Amino acid sequence: MSRKILLITGASRGLGKSTLLHAARRGIDAIFTYNSNKTEADKVVAEAQALGARAVALQLNVEETASFPAFARQVQDTLARTWQRDNFDYLVNNAGAGVNASVAETTEAQFDTMLRQHLKGPFFLVQALLPLLADGGRIVNLSSGLTRFSLPSFAAYACMKGGVEVLTRYLAQELGPRGISVNTVAPGAIETDFGGGAVRDNTQMNAAIARQTPLGRVGLPDDIGGAISMLLADENRWINAQRIEVSGGINS
């Protein structure tokens, strides 16, 4: 029986890296993207190999939608060369950064960056990769707890994630005839370098978030990576068109 293959964007660090390594422990191989840091991407390849999984890193800027057809051909070539296959099984749209600015201070350039990274990019990347996604496969889109509760200075980012949640439901409807399930995972505040590492490095912010969370701490990358990889398991094939918040119950 051939191994399952995951394609995940933005997995040289943070939540994407954690997801890839959790999947590797489940026996899932991966193609993953990085934007600019090939050194870190190569380290992830080595870590996956140490867990008994194959991993191939490809460069991709998810803002550059014009590059997606060429990227899809690169994925196709990688599948044929590395796995002797013409499709992959799972797609996780993870890549992207954040903007911390009030509505009054957000520039049009910042807004457009959020749009390209978090909504336009995933929309057209799915479109480009659909011919390579196996029937019966899975798509997981990353959203945010900030679509359920509101905090100052995250409006532009949260708006795009709200769009991702709507896109997820439409994809589930349109891809259902192919047996492809599509879900959203919405992390809460996580200790990564996202947003300049504020949640991780700002002691006061970290403590304030922990006080609002029933489990009494801020989230860690492995909390999210484990949840996403869990959605890929065969036992969870009937979960579809759902928004699953992984936030420790913050602001519940």
Side-chain angles (χ1 to χ4, degrees), residues 26 138 230 232-239:
R26 292 177 177 268
R138 314 280 174 83
M230 173 272 296
L232 307 181
D234 289 343
E235 296 88 339
N236 294 309
R237 61 187 176 276
W238 202 238
I239 300 174

Side-chain angles (χ1 to χ4, degrees), residues 67-117:
S67 72
F68 290 175
F71 175 72
R73 290 192 294 272
Q74 193 176 14
V75 169
Q76 188 173 29
D77 291 344
T78 300
L79 288 167
R81 183 175 62 253
T82 306
W83 288 277
Q84 294 75 54
R85 283 183 55 178
D86 58 7
N87 57 24
F88 64 93
D89 303 284
Y90 313 124
L91 173 62
V92 176
N93 285 304
N94 166 74
V99 166
N100 189 340
S102 68
V103 171
E105 296 170 334
T106 300
T107 67
E108 188 170 352
Q110 288 174 321
F111 186 93
D112 288 346
T113 295
M114 291 295 94
L115 175 64
R116 290 192 301 269
Q117 287 185 5

Side-chain angles (χ1 to χ4, degrees), residues 45-201:
V45 169
E47 289 186 57
Q49 289 174 340
L51 294 170
R54 289 183 179 180
V56 177
L58 302 177
Q59 194 281 328
L60 179 70
N61 183 343
V62 294
E63 294 186 47
E64 297 176 355
T65 54
S67 72
F68 290 175
F71 175 72
R73 290 192 294 272
Q74 193 176 14
V75 169
Q76 188 173 29
D77 291 344
T78 300
L79 288 167
R81 183 175 62 253
T82 306
W83 288 277
Q84 294 75 54
R85 283 183 55 178
D86 58 7
N87 57 24
F88 64 93
D89 303 284
Y90 313 124
L91 173 62
V92 176
N93 285 304
N94 166 74
V99 166
N100 189 340
S102 68
V103 171
E105 296 170 334
T106 300
T107 67
E108 188 170 352
Q110 288 174 321
F111 186 93
D112 288 346
T113 295
M114 291 295 94
L115 175 64
R116 290 192 301 269
Q117 287 185 5
H118 295 290
L119 187 55
K120 183 178 179 181
F123 187 106
F124 286 103
L125 187 60
V126 168
Q127 183 185 83
L129 293 174
L130 273 179
L132 302 178
L133 181 61
D135 290 352
R138 314 280 174 83
I139 298 175
V140 178
N141 296 318
L142 269 289
S143 180
S144 170
L146 292 166
T147 63
R148 177 176 65 85
F149 54 85
S150 303
L151 294 176
S153 301
F154 291 102
Y157 170 76
C159 283
M160 306 312 162
K161 290 305 191 182
V164 165
E165 294 180 10
V166 174
L167 173 61
T168 292
R169 297 196 298 272
Y170 274 82
L171 286 172
Q173 285 287 341
E174 294 190 13
L175 300 181
R178 291 182 53 190
I180 297 171
S181 63
V182 190
N183 292 289
T184 299
V185 167
I190 308 295
E191 291 186 359
T192 68
D193 56 6
F194 184 86
V199 172
R200 180 191 60 210
D201 301 332

